[in-house]
Amino acid sequence: MEQRLVVVGGGYAGLNLVSSLQKQFAGEKGVRITLIDKEAYHLRKVLLFQGAVEDAPLKVPFSTYFDNTVEVIKAELSGVEPKQKLIELKRPDGQRKALHYDRLILCLGSKVVSSAPELGGISLTDTDSSTRIRLQLEQNVRDARLSSQESERKRLLSVAVVGGGITGIETASELVCGLRRKASAAGKGAQRGRRPHSARRKG
């Protein structure tokens, strides 16, 4: 009889788990691996800081990682019935589907919390926010080029990163290099410091 292994969540944990399952059951007949995610791609969250400086490929289709031995279903998990070994899925078109499983592994990740809007800045949480940061920095560089006041140029070319975890450190390093490149191309020198319109990152 066919055995269905269902992995919910296509983040780093889900990807690595599916890869491990493929190796573990390689060549075995009757084992079906299914990956479920609400998107058709894996978002490289740990590289969001790159998108804050340049247009980086952060969304990678699951088809890039797996061949046709892995079934990928684009849907959102809406319920689990452990006694019946069923999960309820909601597809993008709103249709609901029940799916049987033999083993179920939930790799749903953590919940991202953004800073309150009144605090200012931009929380680096997804591709939209990384794009907003990049566009803001590019606008600041353009404004600094047109400004005749040294204090205003210094303010526009200064960035504050809130959060000293791994991502915060990487973000700060990437922003320093990226902002210097943009400022040099515009004929201005980047400065370190704080400014009201800061780029914020939790963690």
Side-chain angles (χ1 to χ4, degrees):
M1 294 180 64
E2 183 180 77
Q3 183 180 19
R4 174 172 252 167
L5 312 179
V6 177
V7 178
V8 182
Y12 282 101
L15 287 182
N16 282 282
L17 176 59
V18 171
S19 179
S20 296
L21 291 175
Q22 282 185 297
K23 294 176 181 178
Q24 180 178 348
F25 296 102
E28 290 193 26
K29 295 182 179 180
V31 177
R32 187 175 183 180
I33 302 173
T34 300
L35 173 65
I36 298 171
D37 195 278
K38 61 182 179 181
E39 304 292 352
Y41 56 82
H42 165 67
L43 176 60
R44 304 166 74 188
K45 288 185 177 180
V46 297
L47 298 181
L48 281 174
F49 63 88
Q50 290 185 356
V53 176
E54 57 188 5
D55 188 11
L58 301 177
K59 298 179 180 179
V60 183
F62 289 122
S63 58
T64 302
Y65 297 101
F66 310 120
D67 55 25
N68 55 12
T69 60
V70 175
E71 177 188 23
V72 178
I73 299 177
K74 183 179 179 181
E76 188 173 359
L77 179 68
S78 58
V80 179
E81 296 292 341
K83 291 184 179 180
Q84 292 79 20
K85 288 194 172 182
L86 292 173
I87 57 174
E88 184 176 311
L89 304 176
K90 182 179 179 182
R91 293 185 176 274
D93 60 5
Q95 292 187 350
R96 295 185 179 275
K97 175 183 178 180
L99 186 70
H100 174 268
Y101 66 86
D102 292 288
R103 294 186 181 181
L104 175 65
I105 307 97
L106 303 180
C107 302
L108 302 179
S110 57
K111 184 177 180 180
V112 177
V113 179
S114 300
S115 59
E118 59 269 20
L119 296 178
I122 303 173
S123 295
L124 182 56
T125 57
D126 51 26
T127 54
D128 289 340
S129 59
S130 65
T131 299
R132 287 174 56 203
I133 293 172
R134 184 177 75 250
L135 294 178
Q136 180 67 65
L137 292 176
E138 291 173 351
Q139 182 62 55
N140 283 7
V141 171
R142 289 193 293 269
D143 291 345
R145 185 178 184 182
L146 298 174
S147 177
S148 60
Q149 298 182 1
E150 180 62 27
S151 60
E152 179 64 5
R153 290 199 299 268
K154 183 176 180 180
R155 185 189 72 83
L156 289 168
L157 298 178
S158 300
V159 180
V161 177
V162 179
I166 295 177
T167 301
I169 293 173
E170 291 178 332
T171 300
S173 299
E174 191 75 14
L175 288 176
V176 167
C177 296
L179 188 56
R180 283 179 175 172
R181 289 196 302 269
K182 295 178 187 297
S184 296
K188 301 294 180 183
Q191 302 289 333
R192 296 180 183 178
R194 299 180 179 180
R195 64 180 180 83
H197 302 290
S198 59
R200 291 178 178 268
R201 174 62 172 96
K202 293 285 184 181

